[in-house]
Amino acid sequence: MKIKLLAAAAVAVTLSGCAVGEATESGGGYPSKPLSIMAPGSPGGGWDTRARGIASSLSECKVADVDTTVTNVPGAGGTIGLAQFAKKKGDPYQLMVMDSVTMLGGIVNNKSPVDLATLTPVAGLSRGPTAIVVAAKSPYKDLKSLLDAMEAKPHSVKWTGGSLGGPGQMTVAGLAKERNVAAKDVNFVPTAGGGESLNLLLSGAATAGIDTVAELRAQISAGELRVLSVDSEQRVAGIDAPTMKELGLANAAISTLAGVLAPAGLTKEQQQDVIGLLDKVRQTPCWKKVLERNNWVEDWQPGDQFGQVLAQQRTQVTTILGELGLGK
């Protein structure tokens, strides 16, 4: 594996493809040259993990005999990378990973001139459970007591987890609404990544946090964090905490769909080529290991189905952020 710096805020990793049989995509051989996958977030984050999981699955499970480069372009809820990606019109060899709510939140909050509707939807791939956590030394033993404190004195509970206007803040806003607390009164400290949120929690600078189980798993397993609830259909293996659904709070959470986009200007045939490639990837044991390792659940939404989800969530996200006083 060869690592090279592309720019101050971008790191690329190239994975060599393995020898495979003849390509069988419509169009007679896609992919026939190197692929590039952008992760519009920092190395080690969820988007980066997904991009590298796709790249390694292409190579290790011999899906395609081409090199794949993963590039990180973090910042502004993914919109810095999005702006760069939007310039690659008509190129089916340029792909970008993202998740619906985080990127839509970044677009609305940062007033991005580029909207996801202008790109080519490839596929929704998975959903991942999130966890509401407190430090092990916290006096809060369950979610009810934490929400009781927020209801009594909203600013006394300092939340952290993810970017401004991201799914974490939107879920906290939903929890506040359940207790008749105005979203704008929620005390939420945005961060650039999981490490910063963890530092706030473990130092006591933040009362509670919300992030993906994958990013919090190590500290949960080490006993440094206590999980009060998880947002998932079923309880998460290895975590002794109820789901928000069990607690009657399912409507407070906003579920984000992780997926892949291609640039604008692709033909229908090119779009189908990329969808076909991702369909092959998701069926490999390599990708299934990526899902298992990160506690992701497959949610395959190819092409226009993915586009419809993005359009529906655009309205939902805009409404919630408006209640938070963001994106205006």
Side-chain angles (χ1 to χ4, degrees), residues 36-61:
S36 178
I37 305 176
M38 177 186 287
S42 302
W47 289 344
D48 178 69
T49 301
R50 186 167 299 107
R52 293 175 197 280
I54 293 170
S56 63
S57 297
L58 283 165
S59 174
E60 293 171 17
C61 276

Side-chain angles (χ1 to χ4, degrees), residues 250-287:
N251 291 335
I254 180 164
S255 181
T256 188
L257 178 59
V260 177
L261 295 168
L266 268 62
T267 65
K268 281 293 182 183
E269 290 76 12
Q270 288 173 324
Q271 181 189 28
Q272 288 304 314
D273 281 344
V274 186
I275 292 172
L277 183 67
L278 266 292
D279 194 15
K280 287 183 177 181
V281 167
R282 76 181 182 96
Q283 296 181 59
T284 64
C286 299
W287 179 250

Side-chain angles (χ1 to χ4, degrees), residues 150 154-160 169 172 183-189 207-208:
M150 181 173 69
H155 282 276
S156 70
V157 176
K158 183 180 291 185
W159 295 83
T160 187
Q169 187 177 15
V172 174
K184 61 181 177 60
D185 291 334
V186 172
N187 188 355
F188 186 88
V189 180
T207 312

Side-chain angles (χ1 to χ4, degrees), residues 121 257 301-315:
L257 178 59
Q301 302 267 357
D304 292 342
Q305 287 180 230
F306 187 35
Q308 289 169 8
V309 171
L310 296 178
Q312 291 166 357
Q313 290 202 312
R314 178 66 157 85
T315 301

Side-chain angles (χ1 to χ4, degrees), residues 45 130 147 185 190 193 201 229 250 265 270 288 290 325:
T130 57
L147 297 183
D185 291 334
L201 278 169
S229 182
Q270 288 173 324
K288 294 184 188 304
V290 172

Side-chain angles (χ1 to χ4, degrees), residues 50-241:
R50 186 167 299 107
R52 293 175 197 280
I54 293 170
S56 63
S57 297
L58 283 165
S59 174
E60 293 171 17
C61 276
K62 303 181 180 181
V63 177
D65 186 20
V66 296
D67 289 348
T68 304
T69 300
V70 174
T71 306
N72 296 86
V73 186
T79 58
I80 293 177
L82 176 63
Q84 292 187 21
F85 187 74
K87 298 174 183 178
K88 305 180 185 297
K89 293 183 179 179
D91 188 349
Y93 289 85
Q94 301 288 333
L95 305 176
M96 182 179 72
V97 298
M98 40 70 75
D99 73 75
S100 58
V101 176
T102 303
M103 181 155 277
L104 287 167
I107 288 170
V108 174
N109 191 43
N110 292 287
K111 301 179 179 63
S112 171
V114 181
D115 197 273
L116 298 187
T118 64
L119 303 180
T120 301
V122 175
L125 291 174
S126 63
R127 297 182 188 269
T130 57
I132 295 174
V133 298
V134 293
K137 60 185 179 183
S138 169
Y140 300 109
K141 307 297 183 184
D142 53 40
L143 185 56
K144 180 181 181 302
S145 62
L146 178 67
L147 297 183
D148 285 346
M150 181 173 69
E151 181 179 8
K153 196 174 182 181
H155 282 276
S156 70
V157 176
K158 183 180 291 185
W159 295 83
T160 187
S163 59
L164 186 68
Q169 187 177 15
M170 284 188 254
T171 294
V172 174
L175 291 170
K177 192 172 184 178
E178 291 284 331
R179 293 302 190 96
N180 296 313
V181 174
K184 61 181 177 60
D185 291 334
V186 172
N187 188 355
F188 186 88
V189 180
T191 63
E196 189 178 345
S197 294
L198 283 170
N199 288 338
L200 290 172
L201 278 169
L202 298 177
S203 68
T207 312
I210 181 167
D211 212 329
T212 64
V213 169
E215 292 205 33
L216 298 172
R217 175 73 79 171
Q219 286 71 29
I220 293 170
S221 298
E224 297 175 329
L225 296 175
R226 178 187 304 128
V227 183
L228 304 184
S229 182
V230 291
D231 172 28
S232 57
E233 283 298 311
Q234 299 179 339
R235 291 199 177 201
V236 177
I239 295 179
D240 183 20

